[in-house]
Amino acid sequence: MSMFYNKTIETLPTAHLRKLQNERLQKLLRRVYQKVPFYKKQFDENGIRPQDIKGVEDLHKLPFTKKDDLRDNYPFSMFAVPVEEVVRIHASSGTTGKPTVVGYTKNDLDMFDEVVARSLVCAGARPGMKLHNAYGYGLFTGGLGMHGGATKLGMAVIPVSGGMTDRQLMILQDFAPEVICCTPSYAQTLAEEMKKRGIPKEAINLKYAILGAEPWTETIRQQVEKGLDVNATNIYGLSEIIGPGVSQEDFGEKGRGSYIWEDHFFPEVVDRDTGEPLPQGEEGVLVFTTLTKEAFPLIRYWTNDICSIFYDKNAKRTHIKMSAIKGRADDMLIIRGVNLFHTQVEVLLKDFAGLAPNYQLTVTREGTMDEVKLDVEVEKEISDELGGGGFGGHGTVVSLAKRLQKKVKDNTGISMKVELKEYGQIPRSKGGKLSRVRDLRAL
Ligand code: DLL
């Protein structure tokens, strides 16, 4: 197997890709107008007929679809096929109220498998390798989504799911999988627990890690690559659009963005306040139109994720790329008028020898003033050496904290209290997504 899963599509010249997208879009718009009352109403209210949209360049004339629209149509009213034709249902647990429900036809699942198979190859996986799948199985799309694509590719899937770290470590040693997929925070946990138990890197056979479902930066990539002795790449996706496999970073093009499989998912980046489309390379809200989905097509879905999109002329594939997600627009902290994503702090940690990339931001309000506190752990060796009483007052710790505080202030514009903690004091991922921010202002 070459370095592509589907070379024809993955290297299709942009003009051909555009033609394919335009044909698919026109078909899609006619279909949702007929089948989904929500879209018929939306088009009618805006005085738009499906045939008015000739191609992707006209998409901006259509309104966005937002999460609230999905909630208002809970559970199945946005489906474009009779429920009898749906063969799988997933749901993403919202923080409040009802989850977002998504449905798949047989063809939708085939497409899901295809984009995940492409993503796996892009990450370094090959047929015949074993995949340790530590994404959660269940209503979450991570577990079953990766499972289907890996099966299609011809890998042996080990459906471990999340949690039970002891058992995961046993399987990693005994079954010797070459590839692992899980959240970046859980990869940190696995690397750390191996070290704690004295399991050497040579005792496992991992070569590639496919990490996603939450924002992460180079800081964590370095820790995971070192700790598990792997090539770690980013996989992005969301249940509404399909699940994992909307985009994937190539293991030979690390740090240069992730390919969006744009023959199926047409991306736009728009201004978060005005909704106006932004030029390539500019940061804004990522918006997707699903070009081929049958059961649950979405037009201009507002993901709330912040990134930029751009073509990489020196890349193996022709598809557009997206930068790593900075965070979700609704998770952006506004501190004394300055915007802050936790990833902006995380990425700075890699420049400090002695710090472990385990951190947490806590936001409080003192009167009318927002205060942020950054807690970061020091590495185990330093913690062991300096640990116990008086840790925080130790010269090494004090000067490290001071330097970090200055670096954060210089880079984010925000003065925050920095506290270095002994190793092991900050919450870890137990298998799933990890929240690195505590916002206590609303309480
Ligand atoms: O997290 C699907 C997935 C599973 C992706 C496994 C990758 C791997 P949801 O639970 O619906 O679906 O959450 C989607 O998670 O809108 C982003 O905010 C965030 N997210 C997903 N992947 C990444 C990533 C899955 N690579 C939401 N980087 C999305 C940053 C990510 N954020």
Side-chain angles (χ1 to χ4, degrees):
M1 137 107 31
S2 71
M3 57 197 184
F4 302 102
Y5 178 74
N6 185 341
K7 187 169 182 190
T8 312
I9 285 289
E10 292 175 46
T11 61
L12 202 63
T14 311
H16 295 213
L17 208 44
R18 208 60 81 229
K19 188 161 171 283
L20 181 68
Q21 287 169 332
N22 290 342
E23 286 163 8
R24 288 178 168 177
L25 179 65
Q26 285 177 325
K27 218 170 116 196
L28 166 79
L29 295 177
R30 285 196 299 272
R31 207 164 68 80
V32 297
Y33 188 78
Q34 282 173 7
K35 307 279 184 186
V36 185
F38 167 81
Y39 281 119
K40 174 162 194 331
K41 184 157 169 275
Q42 233 195 15
F43 284 35
D44 287 348
E45 280 174 4
N46 285 277
I48 294 167
R49 297 164 309 162
Q51 60 269 32
D52 296 337
I53 308 293
K54 304 278 184 250
V56 292
E57 69 284 354
D58 291 332
L59 261 179
H60 66 96
K61 296 177 183 160
L62 292 170
F64 299 109
T65 307
K66 295 205 167 169
K67 190 131 189 153
D68 277 344
D69 298 320
L70 309 188
R71 290 218 182 89
D72 294 344
N73 287 284
Y74 177 87
F76 303 147
S77 300
M78 295 277 282
F79 287 8
V81 298
V83 176
E84 296 73 43
E85 286 173 35
V86 168
V87 298
R88 175 91 67 77
I89 292 170
H90 280 285
S92 83
S93 53
T95 34
T96 48
K98 300 278 192 190
T100 305
V101 182
V102 299
Y104 304 77
T105 63
K106 177 79 181 61
N107 287 336
D108 291 335
L109 286 187
D110 286 345
M111 184 271 276
F112 195 0
D113 291 346
E114 155 90 23
V115 293
V116 171
R118 285 186 208 171
S119 300
L120 284 161
V121 172
C122 201
R126 297 292 180 268
M129 291 184 180
K130 296 180 282 300
L131 176 70
H132 182 106
N133 186 3
Y135 283 120
Y137 280 67
L139 285 177
F140 176 55
T141 50
L144 283 165
M146 296 307 292
H147 187 112
T151 304
K152 183 171 181 126
L153 178 60
M155 301 181 77
V157 188
I158 312 171
V160 197
S161 199
M164 294 202 267
T165 302
D166 276 312
R167 193 179 64 177
Q168 305 243 0
L169 293 176
M170 179 187 77
I171 289 171
L172 285 172
Q173 293 173 85
D174 295 351
F175 299 3
E178 296 87 348
V179 188
I180 186 170
C181 57
C182 60
T183 58
S185 56
Y186 194 55
Q188 286 186 282
T189 299
L190 289 170
E192 171 171 53
E193 292 297 321
M194 272 180 56
K195 206 169 167 196
K196 237 190 218 165
R197 289 165 175 71
I199 302 171
K201 284 185 265 188
E202 300 72 52
I204 62 169
N205 191 35
L206 288 178
K207 293 182 176 56
Y208 304 101
I210 309 173
L211 312 180
E214 64 189 10
W216 59 300
T217 69
E218 295 301 320
T219 304
I220 288 174
R221 175 153 28 214
Q222 284 178 8
Q223 186 201 19
V224 171
E225 291 198 330
K226 196 157 158 265
L228 298 177
D229 201 9
V230 290
N231 244 298
T233 54
N234 188 30
I235 186 162
Y236 166 85
L238 62 167
S239 355
E240 295 93 314
I241 298 306
I242 193 81
V246 172
S247 80
Q248 169 70 45
E249 189 179 25
D250 186 285
F251 77 103
E253 299 170 9
K254 277 190 287 190
R256 287 169 46 200
S258 301
Y259 291 103
I260 297 172
W261 305 122
E262 61 166 310
D263 52 325
H264 294 294
F265 317 116
F266 184 80
E268 299 169 84
V269 167
V270 304
D271 184 281
R272 58 173 296 179
D273 298 316
T274 66
E276 286 305 314
L278 294 173
Q280 269 185 46
E282 276 187 40
E283 203 168 75
V285 173
L286 185 59
V287 168
F288 279 110
T289 298
T290 64
L291 297 173
T292 53
K293 262 168 65 178
E294 292 180 345
F296 191 66
L298 288 173
I299 313 294
R300 302 197 87 204
Y301 184 67
W302 184 279
T303 65
N304 239 336
D305 293 321
I306 305 289
C307 70
S308 63
I309 55 177
F310 52 91
Y311 282 100
D312 178 353
K313 291 278 180 301
N314 302 312
K316 287 190 199 82
R317 298 170 183 78
T318 49
H319 293 224
I320 199 164
K321 286 181 167 182
M322 60 187 262
S323 64
I325 302 285
K326 222 172 178 181
R328 296 178 57 82
D330 48 3
D331 289 340
M332 186 182 75
L333 298 168
I334 303 176
I335 309 297
R336 302 187 288 266
V338 181
N339 299 347
L340 179 73
F341 288 105
H342 69 78
T343 51
Q344 288 173 271
V345 173
E346 177 181 300
V347 75
L348 302 175
L349 299 178
K350 71 173 188 306
D351 299 331
F352 290 83
L355 293 181
N358 302 314
Y359 69 97
Q360 190 165 51
L361 289 170
T362 305
V363 191
T364 52
R365 182 166 285 152
E366 314 281 338
T368 57
M369 273 296 256
D370 295 324
E371 300 288 343
V372 196
K373 185 163 164 271
L374 166 62
D375 291 321
V376 193
E377 287 178 5
V378 299
E379 275 174 359
K380 188 163 185 313
E381 293 70 22
I382 301 183
S383 191
D384 289 348
E385 193 184 317
L386 307 178
F391 171 82
H394 202 285
T396 315
V397 174
V398 173
S399 82
L400 203 55
K402 263 210 192 113
R403 280 200 295 129
L404 178 59
Q405 187 174 31
K406 177 161 190 315
K407 179 118 188 177
V408 169
K409 164 88 202 203
D410 290 348
N411 282 273
T412 67
I414 297 172
S415 299
M416 49 182 92
K417 217 167 132 189
V418 171
E419 186 178 338
L420 298 193
K421 299 258 189 186
E422 289 184 52
Y423 184 78
Q425 307 231 309
I426 289 174
R428 305 295 202 259
S429 165
K430 297 190 170 75
K433 306 191 190 215
L434 177 68
S435 171
R436 299 187 192 264
V437 178
R438 282 192 308 160
D439 193 343
L440 307 178
R441 286 177 297 186
L443 303 177

